[in-house]
Amino acid sequence: MTPRGRTNQLLYQAELLLGMPEGDDEHAPARRMAREEGALALLGLALDAALRELTEHAALAHHDWRELLGAQGENVAELHRLRELREDPQSWLGHLCAQLDALESAEGVARREADASLIAIADRRPLGDDLSAGIQAFKAELARLRETSFEW
């Protein structure tokens, strides 16, 4: 499989997980949380795969997103663009990286939905919705970066 094919495969698999039905039994919340965290883990792998793909021309030894998108990362145009996005907490990449960090914490990132008798936080979207929106933004940015990377 090509690096581009692997990136596409991981994004597709994350979308598949998010699109799976939850069901309505007592295990539905646990299945939703598993789907969300599984999709997020796949997005982390997709980010690494995308970085591998976009930096093929630079022949980098490592492709971990934390390393490449950190302050000391390689000086590659595509990485510079992604670093700018990561530094913006409102961007899809800033949000994704924060979620990936939370995924590795003891608390995880998926949450049980609040009891219907409690007041819900109005601006809080379900994690699955955030991830779906992030995938679409990821794919759009990836298309732009692939174009510039292809020029090399």
Side-chain angles (χ1 to χ4, degrees):
M1 181 175 294
T2 65
R4 181 181 184 136
R6 181 63 175 153
T7 304
N8 291 343
Q9 180 187 47
L10 291 165
L11 289 170
Y12 176 66
Q13 289 172 343
E15 287 178 313
L16 285 177
L17 270 180
L18 291 173
M20 292 176 65
E22 289 178 26
D24 59 357
D25 63 0
E26 69 272 12
H27 301 290
R31 273 195 301 277
R32 177 192 49 78
M33 292 170 65
R35 279 189 8 253
E36 290 170 347
E37 289 200 349
L40 181 56
L42 284 170
L43 285 173
L45 293 173
L47 183 55
D48 283 344
L51 293 174
R52 178 181 311 277
E53 171 191 344
L54 295 170
T55 60
E56 248 182 331
H57 62 279
L60 303 178
H62 304 283
H63 297 93
D64 178 72
W65 67 268
R66 284 178 180 86
E67 182 181 320
L68 291 180
L69 300 181
Q72 303 300 318
E74 299 289 334
N75 191 15
V76 176
E78 293 82 3
L79 295 178
H80 179 72
R81 169 67 183 138
L82 290 171
R83 270 189 217 105
E84 288 175 348
L85 282 172
R86 182 182 183 199
E87 290 172 8
D88 178 3
Q90 300 301 317
S91 74
W92 68 270
L93 187 56
H95 195 64
L96 175 62
C97 291
Q99 289 174 322
L100 288 168
D101 286 337
L103 180 65
E104 294 182 9
S105 72
E107 294 82 30
V109 70
R111 299 283 179 256
R112 291 205 177 272
E113 292 180 6
D115 185 350
S117 64
L118 299 176
I119 298 172
I121 300 171
D123 64 344
R124 190 172 188 192
R125 286 189 344 182
L127 178 58
D129 291 351
D130 279 348
L131 293 175
S132 292
I135 289 171
Q136 297 314 307
F138 189 161
K139 289 164 65 173
E141 187 68 35
L142 185 57
R144 287 188 289 274
L145 291 170
R146 281 175 171 163
E147 217 173 275
T148 60
S149 180
F150 184 71
E151 293 171 5
W152 288 100

